[in-house]
Amino acid sequence: MKVLVINAGSSSLKYQLIDIEGEKLLAKGLCERIGFEDSVHKYAKSDGFCTESILSLHNHVEAIDAMLRLLSNEETGVIKAMDEIKAIGHRVVHGGEAFNQSIIIDDNVLDTLRQCIDLAPIHNPANIMGIEACRQELPGIPMIAVFDTAFHQTMPPKAFMYALPYELYKKYGIRKYGFHGTSHKFVMKRAACMLGRPAEELKLVSCHLGNGASICAIENGKSVDTSMGFTPLSGLAMGTRSGTIDPALISFIMEKEEMSIEETTAFLNRKSGVLGLSGISSDFRDLLKASGNGNVRAKLAIDVFAYRVKKYVSEYIGVMNGVDAIIFTAGIGENNSLVRKLVTDNMEFFGIKCDCEKNKSDTGVEMDISTDDSPVKILVIPTNEEMEIALEVKRVLNV
Ligand code: AMP
């Protein structure tokens, strides 16, 4: 069964066509600069064929159309007819409290998604555009919404409530929601396979360390706490996001730097994190290079990043009264052995012992980098959010 996975942004559309039986990627693509005259469409098949074209895609409907043409074209395609696509999985960033799991999309679900726009004003409208474009171009094919927030809906109130007047939770839904749930769930399942034990028996700390980064405490297969909050701005220091700061700093910075609310929000989201600290880049490859060349601020940025990860890992071990494995995933978690070392060094008290030699081999595949006698396993697991979305489609449709 072939499942199309769609991740729609405000001016972009990422897609993958997955054969769900063999859990095999058939083709994938990315349309960027939708709405501009010089949109870019990149496309690749699993056999290595790839192509890139500049065209003008005025909206998401035209992007879906361009995608379908490539997917079904005799030369470039992987399907002969559209009816080979049996279902579509949509990544939806925010499901609020309305959705604690993936769901078949109908008019009621779309209405509820629109009601969640306040909670994710940039992402949810784009996700809805992707859903509407697919409805128009591929009518009659079942569509499933898979939420970044759903996995964290199992958090207990003591973890998700902020210490603010309770009425604000009731009035505006102010609480911690958490994100990256699809990724945390995927690596949780892989970790269970690697450890040869059911997820329902495990205590895990999952570190999704990419440009956006979050940590999740997973107990018995369920998220019990996570570092992102009401928005994806809180928690860890990230590529360009500040992560958690003293809330009083916001008015202080606004006053001193004479910035508006919008400017300050953009400042915390786009100019802070390791980019702001280093003054060099949000990309860890650049920071590693600069730090290696003696740049003190690049080193500081890496140290701040890793120190925060270490603090969350320790906190969540306390919350769960133990841990079976620490998982590292996403761009930095999968590829950056220095960050993994900085996080896991001096954690013997918790039974965490990293094997330096194993840690050095960045192979891009699943590996256990703990020493043979380490009571807690340290796992590097490449995430695959698109595959998790396709698996969710399969589960929800029960096929
Ligand atoms: P993501 O958001 O998951 O794509 O992760 C992006 C981050 O991963 C960036 O900071 C990259 O510098 C980092 N990254 C990706 N590949 C590598 C690599 N081979 N070595 C070090 N960092 C990497």
Side-chain angles (χ1 to χ4, degrees):
M1 176 177 147
K2 295 183 180 96
V3 174
L4 182 62
V5 175
I6 298 284
N7 182 353
S10 51
S11 65
S12 69
L13 185 115
K14 260 195 231 170
Y15 59 88
Q16 288 195 3
L17 188 66
I18 291 173
D19 177 0
I20 198 66
E21 268 88 33
E23 295 188 17
K24 192 172 170 290
L25 171 71
L26 301 173
K28 64 177 177 180
L30 168 65
C31 299
E32 287 175 299
R33 295 181 59 77
I34 297 172
F36 296 83
E37 288 308 314
D38 56 346
S39 320
V40 183
H41 188 178
K42 295 176 190 160
Y43 173 85
K45 284 203 289 184
S46 56
D47 65 7
F49 171 86
C50 56
T51 168
E52 185 173 329
S53 46
I54 310 281
L55 61 174
S56 93
L57 301 169
H58 295 104
N59 50 45
H60 285 70
V61 172
E62 291 184 17
I64 297 278
D65 205 44
M67 167 194 80
L68 291 175
R69 260 182 275 132
L70 282 184
L71 284 174
S72 61
N73 179 285
E74 208 170 299
E75 205 182 319
T76 63
V78 287
I79 52 171
K80 291 198 173 66
M82 296 306 166
D83 63 6
E84 284 184 46
I85 301 173
K86 296 295 182 208
I88 305 170
H90 287 273
R91 177 200 182 206
V92 180
V93 167
H94 218 307
E97 287 189 326
F99 300 109
N100 61 8
Q101 54 179 313
S102 310
I103 190 159
I104 298 178
I105 299 170
D106 60 17
D107 288 340
N108 286 337
V109 168
L110 260 174
D111 279 348
T112 314
L113 283 182
R114 290 192 189 99
Q115 286 159 25
C116 292
I117 284 178
D118 252 4
L119 297 173
I122 296 169
H123 292 101
N124 271 30
N127 301 154
I128 292 168
M129 270 198 286
I131 293 170
E132 285 173 338
C134 283
R135 263 193 163 182
Q136 191 174 320
E137 294 297 289
L138 292 160
I141 299 183
M143 299 203 288
I144 282 79
V146 181
F147 303 94
D148 277 17
T149 48
F151 185 59
H152 302 298
Q153 278 296 304
T154 46
M155 284 189 290
K158 65 182 175 190
F160 74 66
M161 286 302 291
Y162 291 116
L164 291 167
Y166 192 82
E167 301 79 58
L168 296 192
Y169 167 56
K170 288 285 160 201
K171 256 165 107 177
Y172 309 116
I174 293 179
R175 50 159 285 177
K176 180 192 279 198
Y177 289 98
F179 299 87
H180 291 143
T182 311
S183 173
H184 290 303
K185 188 172 176 189
F186 179 83
V187 297
M188 168 193 81
K189 293 196 288 189
R190 290 305 315 153
C193 283
M194 288 173 80
L195 298 171
R197 289 170 63 193
E200 291 68 29
E201 282 177 13
L202 292 170
K203 293 175 179 177
L204 302 166
V205 177
S206 165
C207 308
H208 177 111
L209 309 180
N211 203 23
S214 73
I215 314 246
C216 183
I218 305 172
E219 193 168 7
N220 305 332
K222 292 186 174 134
S223 166
V224 292
D225 206 346
T226 191
S227 59
M228 282 180 169
F230 180 67
T231 72
L233 180 58
S234 75
L236 298 171
M238 301 176 222
T240 60
R241 288 175 239 169
S242 64
T244 299
I245 55 169
D246 182 338
L249 273 174
I250 295 174
S251 56
F252 186 86
I253 294 170
M254 283 174 75
E255 198 185 329
K256 294 286 179 198
E257 293 284 311
E258 296 179 5
M259 289 197 291
S260 66
I261 292 177
E262 291 74 22
E263 285 165 339
T264 312
T265 306
F267 180 78
L268 296 175
N269 272 291
R270 301 204 199 109
K271 299 209 170 125
S272 303
V274 292
L275 169 68
L277 274 168
S278 68
I280 294 174
S281 172
S282 61
D283 192 304
F284 266 71
R285 284 165 288 205
D286 300 333
L287 297 180
L288 278 182
K289 206 166 148 203
S291 170
N293 290 335
N295 187 297
V296 177
R297 276 175 57 185
K299 180 175 182 310
L300 173 69
I302 296 169
D303 284 345
V304 169
F305 178 84
Y307 181 67
R308 289 234 193 143
V309 176
K310 194 186 193 84
K311 285 211 294 187
Y312 271 105
V313 169
S314 312
E315 192 175 307
Y316 289 163
I317 292 172
V319 162
M320 296 190 290
N321 188 22
V323 68
D324 294 295
I326 314 289
I327 305 166
F328 286 98
T329 192
I332 300 159
E334 290 165 28
N335 298 297
N336 193 320
S337 53
L338 173 66
V339 167
R340 294 193 300 252
K341 177 177 167 5
L342 291 172
V343 173
T344 53
D345 261 358
N346 296 317
M347 297 276 259
E348 292 85 2
F349 178 77
F350 289 127
I352 298 169
K353 294 193 222 168
C354 184
D355 183 316
C356 293
E357 284 311 310
K358 289 183 196 164
N359 183 37
K360 272 186 208 150
S361 60
D362 284 331
T363 53
V365 295
E366 289 176 358
M367 56 180 180
D368 177 350
I369 57 166
S370 53
T371 60
D372 293 342
D373 67 343
S374 178
V376 176
K377 294 296 151 202
I378 308 169
L379 308 175
V380 179
I381 304 179
T383 193
N384 191 339
E385 287 163 286
E386 290 79 10
M387 186 59 73
E388 182 58 30
I389 292 173
L391 291 169
E392 278 294 282
V393 169
K394 186 178 176 205
R395 189 184 62 77
V396 171
L397 292 177
N398 202 9
V399 285

